[in-house]
Amino acid sequence: MSHLTRRHLLLGGLGVAAVGSLSACGASSGPGAAPLPTPVRPSGTAAVVKTLTAKQSTVDLGGPRVRTWTYDDSLPGPLLRAKAGDFVQVTLKNQLPDDTTVHWHGIALNNAADGVPDMTQKPVKPGETYQYSFLVPDPGTYFFHPHVGLQLDRGLHAPLVVDDPNEPGGYDHEWIVVLDDWLDGTGTTPDATLAKLISDNATDSGNSGMGGMGGMNMGGMGGVGTPPFGDGGDIRYPHFLINGRVPTAPETFAAKAGQRVRIRFINAGSDTIFSVALGGHQMTVTHTDGYPVKPQAVGALYLAMGERYDVTVTLADGVFPLVAVPFGKNGTPARALIRTGSGAAPAAGVVPVELNGPILMGADLEPADQSLLPSRSADETIRVVLNGQMSPYAWGLNGASYPKNDPIMVSHGNRVRIRATNMTMMTHPLHLHGHTFAITESGLRKDTVILRPMETRTLEFQADNPGRWAVHCHNAYHAEAGMMGEMRYRT
Ligand code: C2O
Ligand code: CU
């Protein structure tokens, strides 16, 4: 089933009064009527030139072998690395049996390269090639993934690191740690899982559909109401991965005791918030979503889908598990190992004591001075309201499922304040394309921020990147089921 077909199925599904004028033939009158932006072509030679092939592959997760979709046959996909200010040119070859695009998550790039089908480009059809050309203005840890259907919940994601030529560095190693929740090729697919969620919850509005269907999360250890996030997502995953490996066959990072390491954490999962800790160590958080923060020592931290955190660690002597526990879900936590000395590795499933202590919520970090937006009062305020529920399985933004909701209009040059409200009983990581907003209260810069059940946050950004930008929940299932909107610059 194509993503469009599924959307059409869902149009009648947001069974709440807030849905305005839904009709089966309304798709042509939606935001798609606005013109797509014109792609930028590099005038000189690009600093980074890459070809990326999206294709079906068989991947070894470290025991389980799965048939899935990847970039260049690797999981995670190949690292894309550039320097701040570089012109990047990536040629995407689509060898998938479905349309696709690439979205460069967190990068404040030109709108035409943003990879949102029917908003910034036409989808790239099977067998087609498409060129992405963009400047990477800001250093940091990012990633890229398709913006079509549930392709993120297959193996289609890869890290993107933008180096800061002026940063002192001061560490001996740099490791990238990609967290993922995995079900593709284990007897189901993301598309089949969503179809089942929808059909199992089609008629019943009396309970939350907790009837024991495969692929659905039954609440596990953290049922509805478990702090701090409510429940643990919608989907039950057989595997949790770090860098594409199951915890019984972990990636092992080697270093020497006393060395300083920078770890770039990326949550590329689709429906799972993780808490991470390195056994026997404190970690110092230095950046989130690319931007520097006031260094903060923690034993453990949460990462929602789409969030990134950089930490530094000074390593002790021995073998240590780097563990990512899926919030509110059963299953063996994801892990990697760090080895600086001899000794046996702890067994899979061992959870470091650091995860029993306080766990940092990223939004509580303080911004570094150089990350602050210039102080200025808001010129306009926009509303982003997240709606929906499990049963019937339907999610929306500002009262309707995308693309039935109205574009949110902003003016170029304005300081825009966002009042974002989660009107649901689930936690949603809210992500805005093309901009890194500040949390008004603290000034902390983020492009993906957690909204807990019934929580309101005030965010703001400088409207300095004209175009049509997606704003959505980074739960892939929620976004696909309609929890997305378009923020459009007035012309
Ligand atoms: Cu990683 Cu539209 O998002
Ligand atoms: Cu969500």
Side-chain angles (χ1 to χ4, degrees):
M1 220 184 324
S2 81
H3 65 289
L4 279 175
T5 317
R6 279 198 304 276
R7 282 221 181 92
H8 282 261
L9 270 179
L10 287 162
L11 291 182
L14 197 75
V16 292
V19 182
S21 52
L22 289 189
S23 75
C25 58
S28 60
S29 64
L36 301 179
T38 318
V40 172
R41 299 288 168 207
S43 41
T45 340
V48 178
V49 180
K50 281 254 189 197
T51 299
L52 195 66
T53 305
K55 56 186 298 203
Q56 295 183 285
S57 319
T58 300
V59 173
D60 181 359
L61 304 177
R65 288 170 68 81
V66 290
R67 189 77 184 147
T68 188
W69 298 2
T70 65
Y71 292 122
D72 296 357
D73 287 317
S74 95
L75 179 70
L79 168 67
L80 181 63
R81 188 151 208 153
K83 283 193 312 299
D86 277 353
F87 211 114
V88 175
Q89 188 178 310
V90 179
T91 304
L92 169 71
K93 292 188 172 170
N94 182 8
Q95 294 180 3
L96 300 171
D98 195 1
D99 293 355
T100 196
T101 62
V102 181
H103 169 59
W104 316 91
H105 179 119
I107 304 282
L109 41 53
N110 72 85
N111 192 231
D114 197 46
V116 181
D118 304 317
M119 192 182 295
T120 67
Q121 66 169 93
K122 292 207 183 76
V124 185
K125 299 211 169 336
E128 282 183 359
T129 289
Y130 189 88
Q131 186 175 286
Y132 290 95
S133 299
F134 54 93
L135 280 169
V136 287
D138 305 303
T141 303
Y142 304 93
F143 72 126
F144 59 90
H145 60 78
H147 224 279
V148 172
L150 293 165
Q151 293 178 7
L152 169 62
D153 207 23
R154 297 186 187 255
L156 290 165
H157 54 75
L160 197 179
V161 172
V162 181
D163 289 306
D164 182 350
N166 304 314
E167 196 192 69
Y171 38 85
D172 302 297
H173 298 276
E174 185 211 82
W175 297 327
I176 296 172
V177 170
V178 179
L179 314 179
D180 199 5
D181 45 16
W182 191 273
L183 58 74
D184 195 33
T186 63
T188 187
T189 63
D191 291 336
T193 302
L194 177 59
K196 193 156 168 45
L197 267 173
I198 293 169
S199 63
D200 286 348
N201 291 285
T203 50
D204 183 7
S205 54
N207 66 45
S208 293
M210 301 295 176
M213 321 75 163
M216 279 188 58
N217 186 44
M218 294 313 133
M221 312 172 322
V224 172
T226 306
F229 300 122
D231 71 22
D234 306 352
I235 311 294
R236 190 171 55 198
Y237 287 92
H239 303 297
F240 298 100
L241 311 179
I242 284 182
N243 292 351
R245 309 286 293 173
V246 292
T248 45
E251 170 160 17
T252 301
F253 295 104
K256 294 194 175 72
Q259 285 187 323
R260 254 167 70 83
V261 175
R262 177 183 197 160
I263 303 177
R264 298 177 185 267
F265 289 107
I266 301 167
N267 184 350
S270 286
D271 181 67
T272 306
I273 298 171
F274 289 95
S275 54
V276 297
L278 173 58
H281 293 78
Q282 291 268 299
M283 303 184 285
T284 301
V285 181
T286 60
H287 300 71
T288 184
D289 295 358
Y291 281 73
V293 300
K294 293 215 168 87
Q296 166 91 46
V298 301
L301 71 151
Y302 286 114
L303 274 92
M305 302 80 85
E307 283 192 299
R308 292 90 60 211
Y309 290 87
D310 296 12
V311 306
T312 55
V313 184
T314 302
L315 295 173
D317 186 11
V319 186
F320 306 97
L322 179 63
V323 174
V325 174
F327 176 80
K329 293 186 179 189
N330 293 316
T332 311
R335 69 164 185 167
L337 294 173
I338 295 177
R339 180 179 284 281
T340 63
S342 56
V350 169
V351 172
V353 293
E354 286 79 5
L355 283 160
N356 300 328
I359 304 177
L360 176 82
M361 292 279 261
D364 294 338
L365 291 163
E366 295 285 325
D369 291 345
Q370 72 263 39
S371 299
L372 293 170
L373 282 175
S375 131
R376 178 169 162 181
S377 58
D379 302 300
E380 61 179 322
T381 298
I382 60 176
R383 293 281 292 152
V384 171
V385 180
L386 306 179
N387 352 80
Q389 71 290 313
M390 289 295 291
S391 186
Y393 193 80
W395 303 99
L397 190 147
N398 287 352
S401 292
Y402 180 82
K404 302 303 296 183
N405 41 17
D406 293 329
I408 302 162
M409 305 304 291
V410 301
S411 287
H412 189 192
N414 274 359
R415 173 64 59 89
V416 180
R417 181 163 289 185
I418 307 175
R419 264 184 76 75
T421 300
N422 176 2
M423 293 293 288
T424 81
M425 297 314 291
M426 286 192 69
T427 292
H428 308 281
L430 181 68
H431 174 53
L432 173 64
H433 286 206
H435 306 75
T436 299
F437 50 75
I439 297 175
T440 303
E441 222 182 352
S442 63
L444 181 72
R445 299 293 292 280
K446 296 280 289 168
D447 57 58
T448 308
V449 70
I450 288 174
L451 288 177
R452 289 188 276 173
M454 304 308 287
E455 184 175 29
T456 294
R457 276 190 187 284
T458 304
L459 314 169
E460 50 199 89
F461 65 95
Q462 195 56 37
D464 56 5
N465 196 6
R468 301 173 57 188
W469 300 103
V471 51
H472 63 92
C473 172
H474 219 279
N475 180 311
Y477 291 81
H478 295 181
E480 178 59 6
M483 194 177 271
M484 170 159 140
E486 175 184 339
M487 186 187 82
R488 187 187 295 177
Y489 281 60
R490 293 182 186 93
T491 47

